[in-house]
Amino acid sequence: VLALVLANTVAAPYYEAVRDFTFGPEPLHLNLSVGAWAADGLLAIFFFVVGLELKEEFVAGKLRNPRTAILPITAAVGGVALPALIFVIVAAPAGAAALRGWAIPAATDIAFAVAVLAVVGRHLPPALRTFLLTLAVVDDLLAISIIAIFYTDDLQPLVLLLALLPLALFAIAVQRGVRSIWILLPLGIITWALIHASGIHATVAGVLLGFTVPVIASRRARVQVGTDAEGQPIYEGLAAHFADRWSSVSTGFAVPVFAFFAAGVALGGLSGLETAFSDPIALGIMAGLVLGKAIGITGTTFLITRLPGLAIDSSLKWPDIIGMAFVAGVGFTVSLLVGELSFAGSDAEHNVKIGVLAGSFLAALIGGVVLSVRNRRYRDAG
C-alpha cells in the first residue's frame, strides 16, 4: 500500500529515484538497481527459508509419506498447470511475446495465503491448514524449477560449475554442525554471486543452500532446544534451527522490502486502470490466479479422490477445499518476481503488476468470504 501511495503521488520521482539507483561491482555483474538487489538478493533469503522448509517436509514432514502427500502434491500440479493454460488462452491475442508470462499466475504466496487462513479460519479443521501448507510448499518447488529452467538467459556453464565449490563448502560446514554466521554467510554470498553471474536467477541459490542443511539431528549437527520430563536434552536439526532464525528476517524484512519496490506501479488514474483491465496480459493473470487456481486445485483433488483408497481428510468438506483453493490464488511475491523476469523494462510491466495485485486481492477476498462462512458453521457446530 505504501509503495502504491508513493508511486501515485508527488513523491513518485523520489520513490523511483531510490528504486532505480544502481550500485555494486560491475566486473562481477553486480552493478544492480536497488529494486534488482531486492528481487535478486533479498528474495534469496526468502527462498533459503523455503528450501529449508521444503527439505524438512520431504525428510520428516507430510511429503515423506506418499499416501498422505499425494493429494496436495497433485492439487499443486493442477494449481500450476491450469492457471498457466488459462493465461495462454486469454493473453494469446496480445501476441507471442505476451506468452512469456505464462508462469506468472502459477505461484502461490505461502505467507499471504496462510495469513488469510489465520485471519478468517480460527475454527476451521487443522487438516485444511496442513493441506494448504503442503500444497504451497510443492507449488514453491515447482515455481523455483520454472524460474531456473524457463527464465534463465545466456547460461554460463563454467561459472555455474564454479558456484558448486562454495556450495559444497557450505554443505560440508553445516553437515559438521557449523553455525557461525562468519563462516556460513560469506560462503552463501559467494554461492549467490556466482549463480547470479552464471545467468540463472540468483534466488535459486537460496534454495540450493537450504537443501544442504541437515534436517535430522546428528551428534555433530544439532541444537539443544530443551529437556524432556526426565531431564534429558531434546535436540533439533539445523534446518529447523536456521528456519527459526531466518524466517523472521525473511518475512519481516526481505519480502516487505521486495514488495515495496516491486508493487510501486503508477496506476495512471481511472484511465490507467481501464487500460490495464482491458489488456489481455493483465486479464490472463487475473483469470489464472482467481479461476485457474480454484478450478485447478479443486478439480484435480476431486479427480484424484475418485481413485480407490484416496480421499480428503474426514474432517474436511468440499466447500472447505474450494475456499482454500481460492486463497491459494494469492500469488503476490513470486508472481511479481516472475512478472519482472518476463516483462522487465517493457510497456507490459505496468499492466502485469496491476494484474497480479488485483488478481491476488480478488482471490483472497473470495476465498476469505467462503472460509469465513465455513468458519462460522464450524464454530456454531462446535
Side-chain angles (χ1 to χ4, degrees):
V1 172
L2 179 59
L4 286 170
V5 169
L6 292 178
N8 290 277
T9 61
V10 293
Y14 304 101
Y15 169 81
E16 293 170 0
V18 173
R19 182 193 62 197
D20 299 334
F21 177 77
T22 61
F23 66 96
E26 179 59 40
L28 298 178
H29 306 284
L30 293 176
N31 185 29
L32 309 174
S33 68
V34 172
W37 274 108
D40 292 1
L42 289 181
L43 273 196
I45 299 173
F46 167 76
F47 279 103
F48 174 65
V49 176
V50 169
L52 293 171
E53 293 173 346
L54 277 170
K55 188 172 182 181
E56 283 192 279
E57 288 294 333
F58 278 112
V59 174
K62 293 289 183 181
L63 298 181
R64 181 183 59 176
N65 185 338
R67 180 170 288 276
T68 305
I70 189 169
L71 281 182
I73 288 176
T74 53
V77 173
V80 167
L82 191 60
L85 178 60
I86 288 178
F87 175 88
V88 169
I89 294 172
V90 176
L99 302 185
R100 180 169 171 78
W102 64 271
I104 296 173
T108 293
D109 191 300
I110 293 180
F112 279 97
V114 172
V116 172
L117 197 64
V119 169
V120 303
R122 183 175 300 179
H123 299 282
L124 292 172
L128 189 65
R129 185 178 187 274
T130 301
F131 193 108
L132 176 61
L133 280 173
T134 308
L135 180 149
V137 164
V138 177
D139 188 289
D140 268 351
L141 181 60
L142 294 173
I144 291 161
S145 302
I146 288 170
I147 290 172
I149 297 171
F150 296 101
Y151 292 91
T152 295
D153 297 321
D154 192 22
L155 181 65
Q156 303 292 327
L158 292 180
V159 179
L160 184 60
L161 286 174
L162 188 60
L164 296 179
L165 178 59
L167 179 64
L169 292 175
F170 184 95
I172 292 171
V174 292
Q175 292 293 332
R176 290 179 173 272
V178 174
R179 290 180 284 154
S180 172
I181 194 172
W182 304 109
I183 296 175
L184 299 181
L185 188 59
L187 290 173
I189 292 174
I190 294 171
T191 303
W192 172 86
L194 288 171
I195 288 181
H196 180 276
S198 74
I200 294 179
H201 197 267
T203 53
V204 174
V207 181
L208 296 177
L209 291 166
F211 279 169
T212 67
V213 181
V215 172
I216 306 300
S218 64
R219 182 173 294 276
R220 284 181 172 179
R222 63 184 183 180
V223 177
Q224 184 174 344
V225 293
T227 56
D228 60 18
E230 300 177 354
Q232 297 298 315
I234 300 174
Y235 297 101
E236 68 178 8
L238 292 188
H241 173 72
F242 286 156
D244 290 341
R245 287 287 185 87
W246 287 96
S247 61
S248 58
V249 179
S250 172
T251 58
F253 179 70
V255 171
V257 171
F258 164 75
F260 177 73
F261 289 113
V265 53
L267 301 178
L270 292 177
S271 62
L273 289 175
E274 183 179 351
T275 300
F277 291 145
S278 62
D279 178 21
I281 295 177
L283 292 176
I285 293 171
M286 294 172 63
L289 289 173
V290 179
L291 299 178
K293 280 289 184 182
I295 298 172
I297 291 171
T298 306
T300 304
T301 304
F302 179 80
L303 291 175
I304 292 297
T305 54
R306 301 308 95 187
L307 297 176
L310 294 176
I312 60 174
D313 191 277
S314 59
S315 65
L316 299 177
K317 305 298 180 186
W318 281 105
D320 303 330
I321 299 294
I322 293 171
M324 182 271 301
F326 273 108
V327 169
V330 180
F332 189 73
T333 304
V334 181
S335 291
L336 286 173
L337 174 61
V338 176
E340 288 195 352
L341 294 176
S342 304
F343 299 106
S346 70
D347 295 336
E349 187 175 8
H350 168 273
N351 297 340
V352 166
K353 291 184 178 182
I354 292 179
V356 170
L357 295 174
S360 296
F361 174 76
L362 190 57
L365 181 63
I366 297 173
V369 169
V370 173
L371 292 180
S372 180
V373 172
R374 296 297 301 165
N375 183 70
R376 193 178 304 116
R377 178 163 296 187
Y378 282 111
R379 182 195 62 193
D380 295 342

